[in-house]
Every structure is written in structure tokens, then in C-alpha cells.
């Protein structure tokens, strides 16, 4: 008998892109979101890399609330999918491009 379990995490990172047009409180929240995305990139890079001595590198799950939450969904035998809801307005294309280049910046 085989048991299969799954976990679904829905994380809304909306508002992290329009930093200059925001109040001070929203800028602080946006900075926190961007820091969490940076930490997520560090976690994914650590999970996909191998040290020269053959040991597994340290994975910084505890450096942000986002990576703590996604810990079970990133390591081990987990399969992770990232979905983007992209604004179709022409002046939002730079933000959409940033999302689509994010996985490439992680060197997966």
C-alpha cells in the first residue's frame, strides 16, 4: 500500500513591484516582500547546488517567513510550481518580465 500526500500553499506577493509610488508603510511591506523573494532565491540556489567537498550546502529556510512556510514544499521529493497573474496593461510589462526572468536568475 502506498500513501500519497500533498500540500497546497497560496502566497500572494502582490504590490512588491511599484515601490516608488507607495506610502512609507507600503514601501516597508514591499521591501519585506522583496527580501523574502531574495531569500527564496537563496534557498532554491542552495537546494540545487553541490559543494566542492560533496556535502549538501546549508539551506537558509529560517531567514524569512516565506521560506519557513514553504520549507516542506521546497526540499526533499517536493515538486513546486510557481504561477504568475500578470497585468496585461502595457506599462506593466517590465514587472511581468521581472517575474519571468526570476527562475533564470536562480540558475536552476
Amino acid at each position: 500500500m502506498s500513501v500519497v500526500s500533498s500540500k497546497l500553499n497560496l502566497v500572494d506577493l502582490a504590490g512588491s513591484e511599484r515601490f516608488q509610488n507607495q506610502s512609507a508603510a507600503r514601501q516597508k511591506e514591499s521591501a519585506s516582500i522583496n527580501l523574502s523573494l531574495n531569500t527564496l532565491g537563496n534557498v532554491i540556489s542552495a537546494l540545487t547546488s553541490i559543494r566542492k567537498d560533496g556535502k549538501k550546502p546549508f539551506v537558509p529556510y529560517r531567514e524569512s517567513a516565506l521560506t519557513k512556510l514553504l520549507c516542506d514544499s521546497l526540499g526533499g521529493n517536493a515538486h513546486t510550481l510557481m504561477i504568475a497573474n500578470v497585468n496585461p496593461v502595457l506599462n506593466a510589462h517590465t514587472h511581468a518580465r521581472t517575474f519571468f526572468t526570476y527562475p533564470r536568475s536562480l540558475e536552476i
Side-chain angles (χ1 to χ4, degrees), residues 42-88:
N42 293 340
V43 167
I44 292 171
S45 293
L47 288 169
T48 59
S49 66
I50 299 173
R51 289 184 1 188
K52 291 180 182 177
D53 60 4
K55 295 181 180 178
K56 294 181 181 180
F58 171 74
V59 181
Y61 288 118
R62 295 182 181 175
E63 290 184 8
S64 80
L66 177 64
T67 53
K68 284 180 196 175
L69 174 72
L70 297 177
C71 179
D72 294 340
S73 300
L74 294 171
N77 293 327
H79 296 279
T80 303
L81 175 66
M82 200 179 236
I83 299 172
N85 183 9
V86 180
N87 188 344

Side-chain angles (χ1 to χ4, degrees), residues 21-59:
N21 299 333
Q22 297 176 350
S23 67
R26 290 286 295 160
Q27 284 183 356
K28 185 176 179 182
E29 180 183 353
S30 293
S32 177
I33 290 170
N34 290 334
L35 181 62
S36 291
L37 287 173
N38 187 37
T39 304
L40 177 62
N42 293 340
V43 167
I44 292 171
S45 293
L47 288 169
T48 59
S49 66
I50 299 173
R51 289 184 1 188
K52 291 180 182 177
D53 60 4
K55 295 181 180 178
K56 294 181 181 180
F58 171 74
V59 181

